[in-house]
Amino acid sequence: MNTTTVIVGSSIGGVRAAQSLRLEGYEGEIILVGEDPELPYDKPPLSKSVLAGKAEESSIRLLTREQAEDAGIQLLLGHAATGIDVAGNLLQLQDHEPVRFDHLVIATGASARPSPWGQRPGIHVLRSLDDARKLRTNLLKGGTLAVIGAGFIGAEAAATARSLGLEVTVIDPLPIPMSRIFNPEIGHWFGDLHRNNGVTTIFGTGVESIDGEQGSFTLRLTNGANVEAATVLVGIGAVPNDAWLGASGLLVDNGVVLDEYCRAVDAPHIYGVGDVARWRHEKHGEDIRIEHWTNAVEQAACVAYNITHPQSPRAYTPVEYVWSDQHDWKIQVVGRVGGNAEHIIIGHPELHGRFAALYTTDGVNLRGAAIVNWPKALLACRRGMGTGVTIQELREKLEPLLDPQPLAAS
Amino acid sequence: MPVVKADLQACQGYANCVVGATDYFDLDDDGIVVLLKTEVPEADRSRVTEAARSCPVSALVVEN
Ligand SMILES: Cc1cc2nc3c(=O)[nH]c(=O)nc-3n(C[C@H](O)[C@H](O)[C@H](O)COP(=O)(O)OP(=O)(O)OC[C@H]3O[C@@H](n4cnc5c(N)ncnc54)[C@H](O)[C@@H]3O)c2cc1C
Ligand code: SF4
């Protein structure tokens, strides 16, 4: 019997779900639906090499028409999904008749949180290829770039703008950047990283309003100061694209809510992957949603497996992983880090040009790690997270690799 | 037999491939991927292809 799997969302999660279905031997029809009329493309380079002009747009294509055809993936691009008739197995689309499915994969991702200070030319967000093109065009005009939000995307765009020779000011209401993710010591190092690379940082201060027009904005800050900028980038996080599910009856709570096998809790033939998916992580014992590239890929593979192995589905229990490139730092975060979790830090950014912060909840076992410029440490931590390793074992392995050697072990 | 190929210029040392198929991929001291073997028997094909597709910079391909 021929079945049909419809995948909604034509970015990394959706494309990998389609490819993984074929890899698992799925022989039914696969229809990949996307709102964006562009052929599927990858997002991480949008704040890095594509924004810098170092990579061609063609290099970030995830799927060409030819590859789609070879893999038997039908593309239905330029049509937003507007709803699901769950009982009738129909996906409703904008400007298109409804599409019938046996399985549906929701991979609609997230959108940049819109600017609360007005949306007009020169005030940018960065999520789509079109966003990146527009921002780059304005960066090339020169002048100061003001970045609101020192999270991953804001920080990466700031670094890229510096590499293009622009003056850059980064503003964040958190007194210590990245302190929602890392402990304060590392947060301070992030601040130093920006300043050492010529970025002006204003932390612990919010933005009240943005006056003026493209080319000559004035940002009024909550501390009374003003910042002048030609271009503004608002990087204040993302929100899951789940509003279109409103009338479907599926449970939505900051993302579509899924069980441990990534099936909608109220419709087991509907699955979710990527930034839009909130699923039950059995090992963490909670429902979580992750906005990272590797998660979209791994979750897509798991969903493809579960669609093709209905008798023996796999629970999805990944170890979190994200990377970020800022100035000359390659930052990699594995597992769960930060907050007030107990940690040790091996290496120092100024002394060694690299470091690894190892986090533990029970004082013994590795629970997560933040690693900068240190491939060996990254690998040891990623492997160790899988097999179970103590932070002492890692210290004994990694510390001898440092040059100069730490004076006294603490 | 299918073979796996790596673009060493493109590799950024993210180690997704190593996590995906630790018997095929490793990293050297500079954080560049090392292929532990290149021939992929049919039984490993899906697993190694999955690991190759998990590379964020598409530095790996499994070819026929
Ligand atoms: C600039 C930038 C840099 C990043 N850098 C990194 C990084 O360095 N490392 C990292 O780990 N992660 C990074 N990320 C995050 C990573 O890209 C995301 O986690 C990943 O793209 C999520 O994939 P996804 O397929 O779930 O969702 P998305 O990539 O958001 O794709 C969702 C797709 O669904 C479509 N869609 C939405 N609504 C509908 C609808 N109603 N109907 C049809 N289609 C719809 C959208 O148009 C889009 O194509 C970055 C993200 C951005 C924006
Ligand atoms: S996943 Fe890609 S970038 Fe990462 S180590 Fe492997 S080949 Fe290199």
Side-chain angles (χ1 to χ4, degrees):
Chain A
M1 194 195 67
N2 216 5
T3 61
T4 301
T5 297
V6 175
I7 301 167
V8 196
S10 53
S11 188
I12 186 70
V15 169
R16 286 293 190 268
Q19 293 173 322
S20 296
L21 275 169
R22 289 292 180 235
L23 206 55
E24 294 291 351
Y26 182 78
E27 287 178 348
E29 266 194 276
I30 299 178
I31 304 174
L32 183 61
V33 177
E35 174 174 27
D36 200 331
E38 300 270 355
L39 277 171
Y41 57 85
D42 209 10
K43 297 209 162 71
L46 297 181
S47 49
K48 309 176 185 82
S49 52
V50 168
L51 189 60
K54 285 197 219 140
E56 299 285 330
E57 287 181 8
S58 59
S59 72
I60 63 168
R61 286 277 164 250
L62 289 170
L63 192 68
T64 62
R65 287 203 184 274
E66 200 182 11
Q67 288 168 333
E69 204 163 301
D70 288 349
I73 300 168
Q74 298 175 47
L75 297 177
L76 192 54
L77 303 178
H79 298 280
T82 51
I84 307 171
D85 172 354
V86 172
N89 282 7
L90 288 175
L91 177 73
Q92 289 134 4
L93 298 172
Q94 198 169 37
D95 303 327
H96 197 282
E97 63 203 37
V99 179
R100 201 197 61 82
F101 61 83
D102 296 287
H103 299 281
L104 182 75
V105 180
I106 298 171
T108 48
S111 299
R113 191 183 300 279
S115 156
W117 305 282
Q119 296 165 34
R120 53 189 187 276
I123 301 181
H124 299 259
V125 295
L126 184 50
R127 181 80 200 180
S128 66
L129 178 55
D130 202 43
D131 293 339
R133 287 181 188 136
K134 288 186 181 136
L135 178 60
R136 180 167 160 80
T137 302
N138 267 351
L139 293 185
L140 293 181
K141 293 181 190 157
T144 300
L145 171 70
V147 178
I148 308 175
F152 282 129
I153 289 177
E156 288 184 354
T160 302
R162 279 299 298 152
S163 77
L164 293 171
L166 275 81
E167 299 286 321
V168 180
T169 301
V170 176
I171 304 155
D172 196 299
L174 291 176
I176 306 169
M178 299 276 198
S179 52
R180 278 197 206 96
I181 311 179
F182 302 120
N183 49 294
E185 184 170 8
I186 294 183
H188 281 299
W189 288 348
F190 272 93
D192 292 342
L193 170 70
H194 287 304
R195 287 183 291 272
N196 292 342
N197 284 281
V199 174
T200 305
T201 61
I202 304 176
F203 295 142
T205 305
V207 173
E208 195 79 41
S209 64
I210 304 176
D211 297 343
E213 297 303 324
Q214 179 161 329
S216 61
F217 290 112
T218 302
L219 287 70
R220 307 207 183 280
L221 306 187
T222 49
N223 67 358
N226 290 339
V227 169
E228 309 290 330
T231 304
V232 178
L233 173 64
V234 179
I236 54 173
V239 281
N241 292 324
D242 55 14
W244 68 280
L245 297 169
S248 67
L250 294 181
L251 183 62
V252 171
D253 174 16
N254 182 15
V256 57
V257 182
L258 312 169
D259 67 9
E260 64 272 37
Y261 304 109
C262 306
R263 305 178 301 204
V265 286
D266 26 27
H269 61 312
I270 298 181
Y271 296 75
V273 306
D275 285 13
V276 74
R278 173 176 301 284
W279 89 101
R280 183 82 191 165
H281 193 305
E282 266 188 340
K283 286 196 183 150
H284 297 334
E286 54 181 337
D287 292 354
I288 60 171
R289 190 172 71 78
I290 297 182
E291 293 176 353
H292 299 151
W293 191 94
T294 304
N295 178 62
V297 171
E298 293 180 348
Q299 199 163 21
C302 183
V303 161
Y305 182 89
N306 289 349
I307 289 175
T308 49
H309 298 78
Q311 306 307 327
S312 54
R314 265 190 216 143
Y316 181 55
T317 55
V319 173
E320 291 89 332
Y321 173 67
V322 59
W323 74 92
S324 175
D325 302 338
Q326 302 173 20
H327 305 289
D328 54 353
W329 277 18
K330 288 171 83 79
I331 301 137
Q332 292 159 323
V333 184
V334 185
R336 309 196 114 187
V337 301
N340 297 318
E342 189 183 330
H343 64 276
I344 55 172
I345 298 178
I346 302 169
H348 187 279
E350 258 145 49
L351 208 53
H352 305 107
R354 56 176 50 170
F355 65 87
L358 311 178
Y359 294 83
T360 175
T361 19
D362 56 9
V364 179
N365 291 295
L366 182 70
R367 148 211 213 236
I371 297 139
V372 167
N373 291 347
W374 201 352
K376 273 260 163 336
L378 171 72
L379 203 53
C381 291
R382 286 194 82 175
R383 286 213 170 108
M385 287 294 296
T387 53
V389 69
T390 69
I391 55 174
Q392 271 318 320
E393 283 165 346
L394 282 170
R395 185 205 286 267
E396 280 157 28
K397 182 170 173 166
L398 296 176
E399 231 162 35
L401 303 178
L402 288 174
D403 178 24
Q405 277 290 296
L407 287 179
S410 52
Chain B
M1 201 183 295
V3 289
V4 53
K5 292 188 178 160
D7 178 346
L8 301 183
Q9 302 292 313
C11 174
Q12 296 287 320
Y14 295 117
N16 278 6
C17 57
V18 186
V19 175
T22 198
D23 50 340
Y24 279 80
F25 306 108
D26 200 353
L27 290 191
D28 69 14
D29 285 350
D30 300 321
I32 302 296
V33 66
V34 178
L35 297 179
L36 301 175
K37 44 191 169 188
T38 52
E39 296 197 332
V40 184
E42 211 45 55
D44 286 352
R45 189 197 184 94
S46 134
R47 187 168 66 86
V48 177
T49 305
E50 209 71 87
R53 284 207 187 123
S54 75
C55 173
V57 291
S58 310
L60 300 170
V61 281
V62 178
E63 285 177 354
N64 283 315

